[in-house]
Amino acid sequence: QYSFQENGWGAYLAERLVRKCDVVNRGISGYNTRWAKLILPRLITESTGADSIAAVTIFFGANDSALKELNPKQHVPLEEYAANLKSMVQYLKSVDITADKIILITPPPLQESAWEKACLAKGDKLNRCNATTGQYAQACVQVAKECGTDVLDLWSLMQKNQDFSSYLSDGLHLSAKGNSFVAAQLWSRLEHRLSVLPSLLPYWRDVDHTNPEASLL
């Protein structure tokens, strides 16, 4: 949901792809895969037209991996999380969106001390842990392998930088630097297939101003 905020990764991609294709944001804050698989058919339908879709990202796990005893509303068991991801990929395939157009994104790592401060400020206990989030990230990578989709393993990639806290604004959500990291990683996976898309409508200098209909219709 926050990917289109200032410096968000969705906004970055939209700017890169202006006049080539639209970047449609269907992220919903706080949702998990149990809820997402139910609403996916409402977001992308058979009538959407698979030919008009260049890529689809599925980015879940940070909420599913919440600790059951402390956050039962968002928690989804690991096995169900994997099954839900598979279900969403299978649905997309059923409406003719091929596996090569689908990118699964793992949850980013959790910076526990920062997130604990955010929880305590709300009167809550630390309701997530990085090791558990890592198990969900590994499950996401495995689903991608089994389904033949691409995957962006943020959990592993961000932790190559030992101090990954700068990628997160509060220990859980992406910071401006984290958004830039996601955008760059995604673009490296998308550039080869999207940069070749034709521009929508000619550059203004190429419009015949004496007969614009000839250029624009």
Side-chain angles (χ1 to χ4, degrees):
Q1 179 172 323
Y2 303 126
S3 69
F4 270 62
Q5 66 188 354
E6 186 177 4
N7 299 316
W9 63 267
Y12 172 93
L13 292 177
E15 193 278 330
R16 276 291 186 100
L17 293 167
V18 68
R19 291 180 56 186
K20 284 184 176 288
C21 63
D22 296 324
V23 179
V24 181
N25 179 8
R26 291 292 181 267
I28 304 176
S29 176
Y31 273 46
N32 56 31
T33 57
R34 182 181 292 165
W35 304 343
K37 76 170 187 177
L38 297 177
I39 63 170
L40 181 59
R42 195 187 314 169
L43 305 179
I44 299 177
T45 68
E46 194 165 2
S47 62
T48 302
D51 290 343
S52 67
I53 295 177
V56 177
T57 60
I58 300 176
F59 189 1
F60 285 96
N63 295 319
D64 298 69
S65 62
L67 302 176
K68 182 180 180 180
E69 61 274 17
L70 294 172
N71 190 347
K73 185 166 186 175
Q74 291 179 303
H75 169 80
V76 172
L78 183 61
E79 295 76 12
E80 183 188 344
Y81 166 74
N84 290 341
L85 286 179
K86 285 183 184 178
S87 176
M88 286 189 276
V89 171
Q90 288 164 356
Y91 170 76
L92 292 175
K93 290 180 178 179
S94 78
V95 295
D96 297 326
I97 298 171
T98 53
D100 63 301
K101 292 184 175 181
I102 302 169
I103 303 173
L104 301 186
I105 307 176
T106 77
L110 180 80
Q111 215 290 320
E112 292 179 15
S113 60
W115 183 240
E116 184 173 27
K117 288 180 182 178
C119 291
L120 291 173
K122 299 175 184 177
D124 299 325
K125 295 180 180 178
L126 178 65
N127 56 22
R128 290 166 169 81
C129 75
N130 193 38
T132 300
T133 302
Q135 293 175 349
Y136 284 70
Q138 291 169 9
C140 180
V141 171
Q142 184 60 35
V143 169
K145 289 179 181 178
E146 293 174 5
C147 295
T149 72
D150 200 350
V151 64
L152 172 52
D153 184 0
L154 289 181
W155 192 85
S156 297
L157 287 171
M158 285 185 168
Q159 289 186 96
K160 286 184 177 180
N161 177 352
Q162 289 187 335
D163 181 18
F164 62 87
S165 60
S166 61
Y167 292 129
L168 306 165
S169 62
D170 55 6
L172 175 67
H173 300 96
L174 296 172
S175 63
K177 183 178 178 180
N179 272 282
S180 294
F181 183 88
V182 174
Q185 292 290 330
L186 270 178
W187 185 245
S188 71
R189 288 160 170 76
L190 294 170
E191 184 176 14
H192 69 283
R193 73 181 84 161
L194 300 188
S195 61
V196 297
L197 291 174
S199 291
L200 303 174
L201 298 173
Y203 182 54
W204 72 270
R205 292 186 187 276
D206 297 328
V207 175
D208 182 353
H209 67 283
T210 64
N211 182 18
E213 291 84 352
S215 302
L216 303 177
L217 296 180

